[in-house]
Amino acid sequence: MKLTQVSQDDETLNIGNKSTWRIGLLFAALLLFMLSQALNYQDTKQIEARDQLLTQEIIQQGELATLKISQEFNQIKQATADIETALTQNKLTNKEIRQLIANTVNTTHGAFRGGVVFKKNRFDPSLPLYSPFYQKGADNKLLQQLSDNYDYTIEDDPLSKRPRTFWFHQPLKEGAMWLPPYYGTSAKSWIAEYIRPFHSNYDGLSQNGFDGIIFLNLSLSGLSKIVSQLDLAQSGYGFILTSDNTLISYPDQSLLGKNINQIKSQNSLFNNILAQKNQGQISVFTHPINKKECWLFFSPIAGTQDTLGILVWADELRATQGLNQASLPLDKIASLLCLIALILILSCLFFPNNLIRLGYRFSILISLIMFISLINLWADQLNGKQSFFSENQVFEAVNVNNLLLKNPYLAEESLLSKAHIKESKNHEISLNIKNLSMLAPGVIQVIGTLSIDHLSDLPDTPPLFFPLANATEWEKLESTKQTQSWKFIADIKQPFNYASFPFDMEEVKIQIKGKGPLANKVITPNFHSYPSMAPKDLPGLSPNKIEVKGWKTEQSYFSYEIFEQEKKSLLSFNILIKRNITGPIITHLLPLIMVSCLAFCTLLLWSKTEKKMSLWGFSSATVLEQCAALFFILVISHVSLRDELEAKGMIFLEYFYFGTYAQIVFVAIAAIIYTSNISVHILDYREGLIIKMLYWPFYFLFCISITLINFL
């Protein structure tokens, strides 16, 4: 058979050609470097544009919320102004004034209680301390007055045991004002009170100063509802601060009415809020408890001196909007282009004199670039940032209260509005995991202790259970007045997904549900029982670095699953575990690499020279025997992989098995064609030189394509 030959002159590169190649490679390296810088710049701009889009959306929501809140305050102000107009323009009777107050309270949105308080003898001599009021939803008496309980005209004395009267005297001196918020026991919520002084001539004198005040109370629970309706993913929440940094709206109701300057030592988050408040409309900081990136927004509420604050977790917001990662990893592509440029520059230092060697040089160069790219992609997948496996993550009490605000049907008997009352506390648990072991790919054994607080009685059996457990053994450790401690050993089913093996990260989910008296109760973690709630500090694991065979523990945290139809919640303790890559590389990846290398060695034996054929023993039969042996090794490894994982669907690593199968089949078929009388130029040219040069570039191209399809 006549083969195409290339002359020695065609194979040899002269000095001019070498210089041209070198200049071309250097120029290509320069272009690649410039392109990498452009991609880095574009990546930075994309990140800025993405975050700008999210922040603008939150700012718009904040502005709408402040508008609604401002309207709530303005309605109260306008209602008192309407009462003032009616009092000053008409001489109303006692009955008419009481009816006016009742109508105003009932028709003004958010109003809880209102009244008119006259100075002594300014309304009617027969009623020296005239102070009628009306309270929504209360048993109002026909002639009830504030003066029935105490004399409000006495000067205020904060040191006296008498009821305070500053609410009457201060507005008369300073004019209309909002008083500091206070908790109304009748309203069972926090109250903001607006007071407006007024002039009248019921006593026949119109030039003797203010005759009294008009007051109207605003229930702040309505403001909390407005703030809770903000679309801030699951964990974001809003709050309202007065001019002196007093909280008048906050998910944790126990902190309402408190100045954050006084409680910042108890919660380091308030230090950040105070520090960020004066930095502008938007600021970024790391949350002191969960160590996540947080965005903090402030928006003034028109018509008041109050400020609306909005706190969101940046990563959760990006994940919710599908923007946690760009569609193309431009920064990774830029790094790869820089690497290619460097390799091109280095390749110019030792330039071959022969076209064949030049072809091999380019084959090795391309293969090296692709191999480094593949390793880079795998490293990114192995060491990438954690995504949000579970929604509704909670790290402190405010997260639980925020969740209940957004899902009010979960709070039995209005727990939120009674959070300050000791009897209404949720049942708190302290969970400590002592040991984890993988019994099977879908079952994990958990050994630990569980403490339950705020129990009304102490049952003989655990008031909690694990819904996903196949079997659980309990042992009572301790019982006190309202607390029980139990030790448990549970075999818990886990719906692991091994599709990304060996770069998989799984979430061990330990669901906790009440039974008996606790069946419909809200169960919350006892956050104060853990030194740190940061997921990377592994709260709930003791010791922190629990060893799971073949896995590494990465994070742990609590979360809730919400069932809207059943109107129930389920507390979960979650442990993120990442597979140790060393074992799968040795057990499964190494055989694939060895088979691919041996298949390439078979290609290197191709020859039609009798001397080489007799020396190497090359023939189609020999190649088929070698391919059959390699195929047998590969099948055993493949079956072992699926048995080990008990896999049902496709696994990431299986694509490489199929690719290696294709390699073996291709080598076998190509060898048969090569040794036959069929003439195929790409196979016959210089004993399969083209196939040998393209073998590894195509192999790594396949690997990169599979990786990109599965992980991007």
Side-chain angles (χ1 to χ4, degrees):
M1 179 168 47
K2 184 177 180 180
L3 300 177
T4 304
Q5 300 294 331
V6 179
S7 68
Q8 187 70 24
D9 292 337
D10 292 334
E11 292 181 0
T12 304
L13 293 173
N14 57 41
I15 296 176
N17 288 337
K18 288 177 64 175
S19 299
T20 303
W21 276 98
R22 281 178 171 169
I23 293 173
L25 290 175
L26 289 173
F27 183 71
L30 178 61
L31 288 179
L32 290 175
F33 179 76
M34 294 174 63
L35 181 58
S36 69
Q37 298 305 307
L39 289 178
N40 272 326
Y41 177 78
Q42 182 65 24
D43 182 61
T44 303
K45 288 298 182 182
Q46 278 190 2
I47 294 174
E48 291 177 355
R50 176 193 64 191
D51 288 349
Q52 184 73 17
L53 182 67
L54 293 175
T55 54
Q56 286 300 323
E57 183 179 342
I58 294 175
I59 290 173
Q60 290 177 3
Q61 289 191 57
E63 290 175 348
L64 289 175
T66 55
L67 180 61
K68 291 181 180 179
I69 294 169
S70 178
Q71 289 174 349
E72 293 275 328
F73 284 109
N74 289 335
Q75 285 178 6
I76 296 295
K77 289 183 178 181
Q78 185 59 46
T80 59
D82 293 340
I83 294 177
E84 180 185 20
T85 301
L87 287 174
T88 55
Q89 293 184 357
N90 305 284
K91 232 177 181 181
L92 303 179
T93 64
N94 173 42
K95 182 178 180 181
E96 290 173 334
I97 291 176
R98 291 181 181 276
Q99 187 62 47
L100 173 64
I101 296 171
N103 290 340
T104 301
V105 172
N106 287 323
T107 57
T108 303
H109 185 267
F112 172 70
R113 187 174 69 162
V116 177
V117 182
F118 279 82
K119 287 183 178 179
K120 196 169 187 177
N121 296 321
R122 290 293 182 97
F123 177 71
D124 188 330
S126 63
L127 298 170
L129 293 178
Y130 183 61
S131 52
F133 71 95
Y134 177 85
Q135 182 170 307
K136 187 182 293 183
D139 183 18
N140 294 283
K141 306 300 182 182
L142 183 61
L143 299 176
Q144 64 185 11
Q145 297 191 100
L146 293 178
S147 57
D148 294 340
N149 300 317
Y150 62 96
D151 185 354
Y152 53 82
T153 61
I154 298 175
E155 287 295 329
D156 180 60
D157 184 3
L159 300 179
S160 172
K161 294 183 179 180
R162 296 193 307 268
R164 301 292 301 275
T165 58
F166 68 92
W167 56 269
F168 179 73
H169 296 282
Q170 189 174 349
L172 292 174
K173 296 176 182 178
E174 301 177 11
M177 64 174 59
W178 285 97
L179 294 184
Y182 63 92
Y183 184 80
T185 54
S186 300
K188 297 180 181 178
S189 70
W190 283 83
I191 297 294
E193 187 168 86
Y194 185 74
I195 298 181
R196 179 189 296 272
F198 68 93
H199 294 276
S200 68
N201 61 350
Y202 286 86
D203 58 353
L205 301 173
S206 58
Q207 303 297 325
N208 57 348
F210 291 121
D211 286 314
I213 63 164
I214 303 164
F215 72 89
L216 196 58
N217 293 345
L218 173 66
S219 174
L220 297 181
S221 61
L223 303 186
S224 297
K225 290 180 181 178
I226 294 174
V227 175
S228 67
Q229 292 171 357
L230 292 169
D231 185 12
L232 305 174
Q234 287 293 334
S235 303
Y237 60 86
F239 55 92
I240 300 176
L241 288 173
T242 62
S243 58
D244 65 345
N245 294 323
T246 298
L247 289 167
I248 61 174
S249 177
Y250 194 68
D252 188 351
Q253 303 288 297
S254 64
L255 299 180
L256 289 183
K258 295 184 178 180
N259 192 297
I260 60 177
N261 289 293
Q262 299 172 351
I263 59 176
K264 62 183 181 181
S265 59
Q266 305 170 17
N267 190 332
S268 54
L269 173 63
F270 293 122
N271 283 316
N272 293 94
I273 291 177
L274 286 173
Q276 305 295 326
K277 186 179 179 183
N278 299 322
Q279 291 189 8
Q281 188 179 25
I282 306 173
S283 57
V284 180
F285 69 98
T286 300
H287 198 287
I289 295 177
N290 57 41
K291 309 303 180 185
K292 296 180 182 290
E293 178 190 353
C294 289
W295 294 347
L296 187 59
F297 303 81
F298 288 104
S299 179
I301 300 173
T304 71
Q305 295 182 335
D306 302 332
T307 303
L308 171 67
I310 297 175
L311 181 70
V312 295
W313 299 347
D315 285 343
E316 185 188 40
L317 193 63
R318 294 181 186 126
T320 303
Q321 300 295 329
L323 299 173
N324 214 25
Q325 288 184 344
S327 56
L328 285 175
L330 298 181
D331 57 333
K332 304 301 179 185
I333 295 176
S335 300
L336 177 61
L337 292 179
C338 281
L339 177 63
I340 295 173
L342 178 61
I343 293 175
L344 289 178
I345 293 172
L346 293 176
S347 66
C348 294
L349 299 178
F350 304 98
F351 206 81
N353 297 320
N354 187 281
L355 278 174
I356 303 300
R357 292 180 181 176
L358 180 62
Y360 273 118
R361 177 70 63 87
F362 271 104
S363 176
I364 295 172
L365 182 64
I366 294 171
S367 299
L368 181 62
I369 291 171
M370 289 186 169
F371 175 72
I372 294 174
S373 302
L374 181 63
I375 296 300
N376 190 37
L377 287 172
W378 286 358
D380 286 342
Q381 183 63 23
L382 189 64
N383 302 315
K385 293 182 179 180
Q386 314 291 343
S387 60
F388 274 78
F389 279 77
S390 295
E391 295 183 341
N392 306 314
Q393 297 181 17
V394 292
F395 303 96
E396 53 181 331
V398 66
N399 300 138
V400 178
N401 283 276
N402 182 48
L403 183 68
L404 296 178
L405 268 175
K406 294 181 177 181
N407 305 277
Y409 51 81
L410 298 178
E412 185 181 74
E413 297 179 356
S414 303
L415 282 173
L416 280 175
S417 61
K418 302 179 183 178
H420 68 290
I421 302 176
K422 188 175 181 179
E423 292 77 15
S424 297
K425 283 188 176 180
N426 296 332
H427 296 279
E428 296 181 340
I429 66 164
S430 298
L431 180 68
N432 284 289
I433 305 300
K434 305 294 184 181
N435 185 57
L436 291 173
S437 56
M438 198 76 69
L439 299 182
V443 179
I444 192 165
Q445 186 179 76
V446 183
I447 302 175
T449 59
L450 184 65
S451 299
I452 313 139
D453 296 333
H454 309 304
L455 293 171
S456 56
D457 56 1
L458 301 177
D460 295 328
T461 59
L464 302 171
F465 70 101
F466 306 118
L468 295 178
N470 293 328
T472 308
E473 297 179 10
W474 294 92
E475 178 186 347
K476 186 185 292 186
L477 298 178
E478 183 183 6
S479 287
T480 58
K481 285 185 177 181
Q482 290 185 323
T483 303
Q484 275 192 339
S485 296
W486 297 81
K487 179 182 178 181
F488 63 87
I489 302 175
D491 299 340
I492 301 178
K493 295 180 292 184
Q494 297 296 320
F496 288 164
N497 180 10
Y498 297 109
S500 57
F501 178 90
F503 305 108
D504 47 338
M505 184 179 296
E506 302 294 346
E507 183 182 46
V508 178
K509 187 180 290 291
I510 304 174
Q511 295 179 339
I512 305 168
K513 189 175 183 180
K515 64 180 181 179
L518 303 187
N520 297 318
K521 299 291 185 179
V522 177
I523 300 170
T524 64
N526 186 351
F527 299 105
H528 298 293
S529 65
Y530 302 103
S532 171
M533 287 304 299
K536 290 186 178 180
D537 291 337
L538 303 177
L541 300 185
S542 180
N544 284 350
K545 287 294 182 183
I546 289 181
E547 295 293 335
V548 184
K549 185 178 179 181
W551 299 82
K552 294 186 294 184
T553 51
E554 294 289 314
Q555 294 185 6
S556 62
Y557 53 86
F558 288 94
S559 67
Y560 282 92
E561 291 186 55
I562 307 298
F563 304 95
E564 294 186 6
Q565 293 183 350
E566 294 85 356
K567 296 184 178 180
K568 292 182 180 180
S569 64
L570 191 61
L571 179 65
S572 292
F573 180 70
N574 312 283
I575 307 169
L576 290 189
I577 56 175
K578 183 165 64 176
R579 189 179 296 277
N580 192 329
I581 194 68
T582 306
I585 286 178
I586 296 173
T587 308
H588 301 291
L589 200 56
L590 189 59
L592 288 172
I593 296 172
M594 294 305 299
V595 168
S596 295
C597 290
L598 291 173
F600 181 69
C601 291
T602 303
L603 277 180
L604 295 179
L605 297 178
W606 281 18
S607 178
K608 290 188 177 181
T609 305
E610 291 185 5
K611 183 178 179 180
K612 291 182 179 180
M613 292 177 67
S614 61
L615 179 63
W616 295 339
F618 174 73
S619 67
S620 58
T622 305
V623 172
L624 288 176
E625 289 176 2
Q626 293 171 345
C627 289
L630 295 177
F631 185 82
F632 181 72
I633 294 171
L634 208 59
V635 167
I636 293 176
S637 178
H638 192 177
V639 172
S640 172
L641 170 66
R642 294 196 66 84
D643 288 344
E644 177 185 338
L645 301 179
E646 296 182 3
K648 296 180 180 179
M650 281 289 293
I651 301 171
F652 169 68
L653 197 60
E654 280 190 291
Y655 291 103
F656 295 91
Y657 277 95
F658 294 135
T660 310
Y661 290 145
Q663 280 181 304
I664 296 173
V665 172
F666 170 77
V667 170
I669 294 175
I672 293 173
I673 296 174
Y674 179 72
T675 55
S676 68
N677 293 324
I678 302 174
S679 178
V680 179
H681 178 72
I682 195 172
L683 298 178
D684 294 336
Y685 179 74
R686 289 192 172 273
E687 299 178 342
L689 178 64
I690 298 175
I691 299 298
K692 295 172 185 177
M693 288 183 176
L694 295 179
Y695 182 88
W696 288 113
F698 269 93
Y699 176 75
F700 288 124
L701 178 62
F702 169 79
C703 295
I704 291 174
S705 301
I706 292 299
T707 303
L708 291 175
I709 291 171
N710 279 270
F711 294 144
L712 290 184

